Amino acid sequence: MVSKRSPNEPPEGRRLEENTTVALYGSGALVVIGPCCVSLQGSGFHASRRQKYGNVFKTHLLGRPLIRVTGAENVRKVLMGEHNLVTVDWPQSTSTLLGPNSLANSIGDIHRKRRKVFAKVFSHEALESYLPKIQQVIQETLRVWSSNPEPVNVYRESQRLSFHMAVRVLLGFRVSDEEMRHLFNTFQEFVDNVFSLPIDLPFTGYRKGIRARDTLQKGIEKAIREKPLCTQGKDYSDALDVLIESAKENGAELTMQELKESTIELIFAAFATTASASTSLIMQLLRHPAVLEKLREELRGRGILQNGCLCEGELRLENICSLKYLDCVIKEVLRLFTPVSGGYRTAVQTFELDGVQIPKGWSVMYSIRDTHDTSAVFKDVDAFDPDRFSQERSEDKEGRFHYLPFGGGVRNCLGKQLATLFLRVLAIELAGSSRFELATRTFPRIITVPVLHPTDGLKGPPPFTALTWTAKRRNGLLKKEEKERGRAGESETDREKKGIKNVGKAGVLEQRSAVCKLRAAQIEGTPHPLKEGLPLEQIGARDNGL
Ligand code: HEM
C-alpha cells in the first residue's frame, strides 16, 4: 500500500508511538561499524519499547525518525525488499571515505555485479588456499599472548589479530612488524573517523579519516604494483589475487582505484566484527569449561587432537567444516553475542510492516540482536547452549530469519564463510594448544557499541584491562594446582581428558612443539629430552613435574 502522505506526517495504520532519543555524531553516541550501525540505546531500553509498542516502533536517530524492526517475519520483509522497498543509505562521510566503487555505495545492478566479482574471493577453493595463512596468523598471535608476562587485553588484541588476518589473508602482504603496526594505527584512524561529521577542515575527524584513507590507499597501491615480485614462490594466492582474476573472468577488469577501495572496504567489514566474535568465543570457552572439554573430545575423536597435540596435517578445510560440535559452538556464540546489532536502510516507498505504515524516506533499522533475543524458536533464549544447533534439536531450522548474525537478503555478509572459518580455527587452536583463564575475579560487563565487546576490553591501561590471559605460574596458581594434582595422583592421560595440559614458563599457552616432543618421547620410547641434556629453553613445557 503506497501512501501519498509526506514523510513527516504521522503514518497510518497502527499508531507509531514515539520516544525521543537523539544520538549524536562524534560524541560516541552513534557508533557505526562495518556495514552496519548501532545506536546508543542498550537492549534493555529497546526491550521496554518493544513491550510497549510492539515489534515495529518509532525512535529517533540524529534527529531523524527511525523505525526499529524486530522479529523474523518483519526482518524478512525488510531484507527481501532491498532495492524495492528499502535501500542502503550511508552518512556522507562514510560514503566518501569508502569511495564510490565500494559495495556500500552501490545499489541495484551495479551492486549485484560487484558481489559476483567478490563471490570468488570467498569460494570454497579460495578459503582452502587461505587456511594455512589463517592458521599461521592465529598461531603466531597465541604465541605472542603466551609469552606476554602481563595479562592480555583480549578485545584489543583480537582487533590486532583480525587486522593481521585481513592484511595477510586478504591482501597477501608480507610486512615487517613495524610496518604492520603503522598500518594498524593508520587503519584505526580511518575507522575512528569513518562516521565523522563531513566537515573538511584541518583537525576535523573527517580530514583525519581522509588522510588515513589516502595513506592506506598509497600502501595498497605500492603492494599491488610489487605483487608479481611478492608472489614468487607462493603456492597459494591471496584474496587480492583472486579478486583481480575474478574481475577478469567477469569481463570487468578492475582499475587500481577500484582495487584499493575494495580492499579497504573488506578489511573494514572484517575488522571489528571478527574481533568482537573472537572475544566472545574466548569468553564463552572460559565461562563454560564443559563446552571446551566437549570440543576437545570432538577434536580427539576426529584425530585432530592426539596426545595433547594438534596434528597439523588434519587441519584441512573439509575436516574443519565437518566438526559438528564446533559448528554449534560458533553458531551459539554468534546468536547470543551477535557482533552486529543490525542494519540500516531507508524506505524508497511507503510500505506496511506488522500493521505499521513506514513512510518513504524514513530510516529503517532491522535488529539482529533483538530478533535473536525474542525469537520463540530458541528455548531458554538467554542460555549459552551450543547443543540447540545440534542435528537432533536444530532450533534454527524454523526459518532462516530467526537466526541472522550475518544479515540476509542481497546484502548478506559476503565474508561469512571466511569469518566462520577464522573462528573455527581459533577455537581449535585454543582448545588444542592452549590453556587460558580469566585474570580478573569476575567476567566483565558486555556492551554493544560500537560492536559487542566486554567493557574493560576498551582501550586503556590497567586497571581497565579486563578479560585477560594470565600467566598462571606467576600467580602461583599453577603450583597450587600441581600440588593438588600430585596429591590426587592424576596421570597424564587423566589430565588430558580433563583438558589440562602442560604450561610452559612463558605463561598460559604452552609451547606445543616442545610438548609434542616430550609426549612423543614418552609414547614412542624416544629418549626423554631432559635425560638427553637439552637446555630447558629448548624443551619449553617440561618443568611441570614430568
Ligand atoms: C563474525 C564476523 C562477521 C559478522 C557478524 C558480520 C556481519 C555482517 C552483517 C550483519 C552484514 C549485513 C549488514 C546489513 O544488512 O546492512 C554484513 C555485510 C558485509 N560483510 Fe560481514 N560480518 C562478519 C565478517 C565479515 C568479514 C570477515 C568480511 C570480509 C572479509 C565481511 C564482509 C562484509 C561485506 C563486504 C558486507 C556488505 C555486503 C553488501 O553490502 O553486499 N564480513 N556483515
Side-chain angles (χ1 to χ4, degrees), residues 165-220:
M165 189 272 292
V167 169
R168 297 252 180 88
V169 174
L170 297 176
L171 304 182
F173 283 10
R174 288 162 188 209
V175 290
S176 66
D177 287 353
E178 186 49 43
E179 284 172 311
M180 187 65 98
R181 250 192 305 277
H182 177 64
L183 264 180
F184 181 68
N185 292 340
T186 312
F187 182 73
Q188 280 214 312
E189 179 94 340
F190 172 78
V191 171
D192 288 349
N193 294 299
V194 126
F195 301 101
S196 50
L197 276 175
I199 301 170
D200 192 7
L201 289 174
F203 311 116
T204 60
Y206 185 63
R207 180 69 70 82
K208 283 185 199 158
I210 289 178
R211 266 205 309 268
R213 180 203 60 190
D214 293 347
T215 309
L216 287 172
Q217 286 198 354
K218 247 187 229 150
I220 292 172

Side-chain angles (χ1 to χ4, degrees), residues 35-36 79 103-104 111 115 122 165 170 266 269-270 273-274 277 334 339-340 343-345 366 368 404-407 410-416 418-419 423:
C36 339
L79 289 175
L103 273 170
H111 175 254
R115 275 191 69 110
F122 301 104
M165 189 272 292
L170 297 176
L266 285 183
T273 49
T274 315
L334 295 175
V340 172
Y344 282 69
R345 304 289 189 270
Y366 75 91
I368 298 175
L404 62 158
F406 295 107
V410 294
R411 283 195 183 270
N412 73 44
C413 178
L414 252 176
K416 60 177 181 256
L418 176 64
L423 293 171

Side-chain angles (χ1 to χ4, degrees), residues 259-365:
L259 270 177
K260 289 189 289 191
E261 286 178 19
S262 301
T263 43
I264 290 182
E265 185 177 29
L266 285 183
I267 300 177
F268 176 61
F271 175 66
T273 49
T274 315
S276 162
S278 304
T279 308
S280 300
L281 171 68
I282 292 170
M283 273 227 289
Q284 293 318 297
L285 292 180
L286 274 165
R287 255 184 199 277
H288 304 278
V291 169
L292 180 60
E293 185 43 30
K294 196 166 168 186
L295 203 55
R296 287 185 170 133
E297 281 297 338
E298 180 171 54
L299 298 179
R300 280 187 210 107
R302 300 299 291 273
I304 293 174
L305 185 59
Q306 282 179 17
N307 303 317
C309 302
L310 283 180
C311 298
E312 300 287 326
E314 296 302 320
L315 273 195
R316 292 189 309 275
L317 190 59
E318 53 179 315
N319 278 6
I320 295 174
C321 294
S322 68
L323 294 166
K324 297 271 183 290
Y325 187 66
L326 174 59
D327 187 44
C328 296
V329 173
I330 304 293
K331 277 187 173 155
E332 183 64 340
V333 167
L334 295 175
R335 179 192 72 87
L336 205 51
F337 301 92
T338 178
V340 172
S341 57
Y344 282 69
R345 304 289 189 270
T346 296
V348 289
Q349 58 167 293
T350 301
F351 64 99
E352 201 175 297
L353 201 57
D354 203 13
V356 171
Q357 213 174 48
I358 299 177
K360 180 179 173 181
W362 280 32
S363 297
V364 177
M365 187 258 195

